[in-house]
Amino acid sequence: MLTDARRAALFACWFSAVTSAVFFVTGVVALPVPLYVPLVHRWVMSASAAEQLGPLGSLTMDYFGRSLLAVGCGAVTTLLGMICLRLRHRTSSLVDGKSSPGTSLKPSPIQLQLALAYAVTAFLLCAALFAYKLYGREPSSPVLPDPSPTSADRLP
Amino acid sequence: MRRPFGRYSEQVPPVFLQSWGPLLVVIHALSAVVLCGASVHQAVLATLLLLRRAVRGRLLRVYSVTTLLSYLATVTGGALLYPRYRVVIRALFLDQNAPWAANLFDFKENLATLGLPLAVGALLLAMPLSQRCARISPTPGDVVTDADPAADSDAAADSQRLASLTFLVMALGTALVAVTNLIAGLVCTAVRGA
């Protein structure tokens, strides 16, 4: 866990900004992501499963794959950033001959302002994109057999 | 002839955890209510912190941990329910009768993914900020003093204030996502329940 609030703020903004940016890209470009096909209980790595699985493959769920990709990219880049900062701090400590942890390599106010601005902008842009895409979207599910119970089903 | 438990039609293949749907919906809803309460409390504490009012560091940690755990529980419950929703609720009913509800539900799901880093970020920030709260002693007027022992210069003080602002943005964002999703989920469930 980070002990300095400034570094924590920088990495929190970085995680949010990268996740929102990657999620935005998955909403614009049909990337090959893990698709779940609920009617055949299968995972497919593709942008579309219809051509691989026939009619049942037209009912797919890309939400899991897109979410995993976005959150995974955000988490991995944040962890890499933390490791790089730690290594850089150790290197500079060795060069300077100082061993006081947490006294150097803290983000400046300008860096924090920029990080916060990027995170907020990416979040708002991504939320606006999905609001725009989903507002008035036409139904896309394949026609399945009528599930309404018949009068015989209602009888005890 | 009776249908197998949890199946809406014998002609539609069963989906993952179909018969557990009602129970999972209740667990999902309960964790969402906990998430709303914890995240709104966390946002209030973040506002007080930015206004330099006295805040208990322990409360900051408790609400941040509760928010993240309930967020993960809600997202996990929703993910387990999603295959059933996609076939039984959306494909069989909402797409034909209330497509706007299906669109609202999908927006809620996407918003939930965007909100997860905010909850994680709020927890990352709550830990060092709660330690800082413990170092600053409140004045009798319930207002925290301006002098921060950790702030050794004006730039450091600015950075600390920006860290508090970032915490407010993360906490407020999490609370907004949680409340919006709770309302959207209730509306969709009112249109077509579990």
Side-chain angles (χ1 to χ4, degrees):
Chain A
M1 194 62 74
L2 294 165
T3 53
D4 180 63
R6 287 164 273 187
R7 270 183 286 187
L10 185 70
F11 288 120
C13 290
W14 177 258
F15 184 29
S16 181
V18 173
T19 303
S20 298
V22 176
F23 207 58
F24 184 94
V25 171
T26 64
V28 177
V29 184
L31 293 173
V33 291
L35 294 175
Y36 183 64
V37 192
L39 291 177
V40 291
H41 305 265
R42 274 182 62 184
W43 286 89
V44 181
M45 186 73 184
S46 169
S48 168
E51 67 275 11
Q52 298 176 36
L53 298 168
L56 289 178
S58 59
L59 201 155
T60 57
M61 296 160 47
D62 63 349
Y63 170 70
F64 292 140
R66 290 190 297 111
S67 298
L68 278 175
L69 181 69
V71 176
C73 284
V76 167
T77 53
T78 306
L79 286 174
L80 283 176
M82 284 180 179
I83 292 168
C84 285
L85 199 70
R86 192 173 284 264
L87 287 176
R88 204 174 140 200
H89 176 61
R90 276 193 188 167
T91 313
S92 63
S93 297
L94 285 173
V95 170
D96 297 344
K98 295 174 187 171
S99 61
S100 50
T103 55
S104 63
L105 294 176
K106 285 178 180 173
S108 66
I110 296 292
Q111 286 173 322
L112 282 182
Q113 281 173 353
L114 277 175
L116 186 58
Y118 281 131
V120 171
T121 307
F123 179 90
L124 292 177
L125 270 178
C126 196
L129 170 77
F130 284 102
Y132 173 76
K133 279 184 74 173
L134 292 168
Y135 181 74
R137 179 187 62 173
E138 294 296 318
S140 58
S141 298
V143 177
L144 296 174
D146 183 13
S148 57
T150 61
S151 55
D153 286 338
R154 292 198 199 100
L155 292 174
Chain B
M1 198 177 84
R2 298 189 68 176
R3 293 188 309 274
F5 179 70
R7 294 274 297 278
Y8 281 75
S9 168
E10 288 194 45
Q11 293 161 299
V12 179
V15 292
F16 181 63
L17 292 179
Q18 186 162 331
S19 57
W20 290 82
L23 178 65
L24 280 171
V25 168
V26 171
I27 295 170
H28 182 57
L30 285 177
S31 53
V33 169
V34 173
L35 168 63
C36 272
S39 61
V40 169
H41 277 82
Q42 182 183 235
V44 170
L45 288 182
T47 309
L48 292 176
L49 197 67
L50 190 69
L51 295 174
R52 294 179 175 270
R53 304 284 287 272
V55 172
R56 285 185 185 173
R58 189 168 169 275
L59 273 184
L60 216 58
R61 289 194 296 274
V62 166
Y63 283 131
S64 300
V65 171
T66 310
T67 299
L68 184 60
L69 289 181
S70 54
Y71 204 112
L72 291 174
T74 310
V75 168
T76 306
L80 291 175
L81 273 168
Y82 201 58
R84 183 179 185 277
Y85 158 80
R86 183 68 183 85
V87 176
V88 174
I89 308 292
R90 187 179 151 193
L92 290 178
F93 183 83
L94 290 184
D95 275 352
Q96 280 96 42
N97 301 295
W100 63 268
N103 297 344
L104 178 66
F105 191 93
D106 281 1
F107 179 67
K108 159 181 118 69
E109 295 297 307
N110 289 314
L111 207 56
T113 301
L114 289 177
L116 184 59
L118 301 182
V120 175
L123 178 66
L124 277 179
L125 275 158
M127 294 304 170
L129 286 174
S130 65
Q131 288 165 5
R132 185 175 154 242
C133 286
R135 286 201 303 265
I136 302 173
S137 55
T139 59
D142 207 28
V143 178
V144 173
T145 56
D146 283 334
D148 178 3
D152 47 2
S153 67
D154 287 345
D158 283 350
S159 296
Q160 285 289 358
R161 193 159 174 76
L162 274 168
S164 298
L165 178 65
T166 308
F167 180 56
L168 175 63
V169 169
M170 298 277 159
L172 204 59
T174 310
L176 280 174
V177 167
V179 172
T180 307
N181 282 3
L182 183 70
I183 293 170
L186 286 174
V187 169
C188 292
T189 313
V191 174
R192 182 69 168 93

